[in-house]
Structures are given as C-alpha cells and as structure tokens.
Amino acid sequence: QVQLVESGGGLVQPGGSLRLSCAASGSILSIGIMGWYRQAPGKQRELVASITSGGSTYYADSVKGRFTISRDNAKNTVYLQMNSLKPEDTAVYFCKFGVKVTMIRPLSDYWGQGTQVTVSS
C-alpha cells in the first residue's frame, strides 16, 4: 500500500508565497514522474507542474516563472514553491506519483488527498 500525504496549503494574500510538500510512504520500489495538479470550483483538474526521476520539468503556461517544482528522491517527496500568487491560483492542489511497487507490475498512479490553497486579500 502506498500513501501520499500533502502539506503546506493555506490562505495567502495576492503576491505572497506558499510551499507545498507531498511525501510518499509504503512499499515503494521506485517513483517515476511526480506531478502537481489543481482543481478550482466548477473546473476540471489540470496539471500544474511535473518532474521526472531525472529532473526534467514541465510547467503549465499559467504558472511559468512563478512556480518551481523539485523533488527529493531519498525522501520520496516532491515540492511546489509558489511565488507571486494570484487569486486565480485558488484551488485544491493534488500530488500524483507514478509508483512501482514490485519488479513485475508496471508503474501505477497514486494521488494525494488534496490541500486547499486560497489566494485572497
């Protein structure tokens, strides 16, 4: 069983910063892509940023230059540093990992429970 636990969400004023963390625990052989998604009320869940095991990153256009994704493979943890936050960044943020739990089975996706980020004055 693999569990992902997120932390770091909260209420912040426009222009402020937050740092999200997501740590995986359980029976983990390896982790491939780590990603952050978000879902605002009435909208579909969207990919915000992702990072491969080799460190290659992807960012949605809406967050480029403001958000930075990083990972600590030794801790099975991914981070999302969010700067210059805007009201439109308000959403529930979810992490997703591609996890290999055995040599035989392929990677499977695991999701965190979500953490609320609210940007408001």
Side-chain angles (χ1 to χ4, degrees), residues 1-2 26-32 98-108 110:
Q1 187 73 9
V2 176
S27 179
I28 298 170
L29 193 62
S30 63
I31 301 176
V99 180
K100 195 168 180 62
V101 297
T102 70
M103 290 294 291
I104 298 174
R105 291 177 61 187
L107 287 172
S108 297
Y110 292 85

Side-chain angles (χ1 to χ4, degrees), residues 18-21 36 48-51 57-59 63-71 78-84:
L18 283 175
R19 189 191 194 211
L20 305 183
S21 301
W36 285 99
V48 175
S50 64
I51 184 167
T57 57
Y58 163 85
Y59 295 96
V63 306
K64 280 181 182 176
R66 300 188 298 122
F67 290 10
T68 302
I69 190 170
S70 60
R71 64 190 283 169
V78 67
Y79 306 96
L80 186 68
Q81 178 66 43
M82 305 185 294
N83 299 328
S84 302

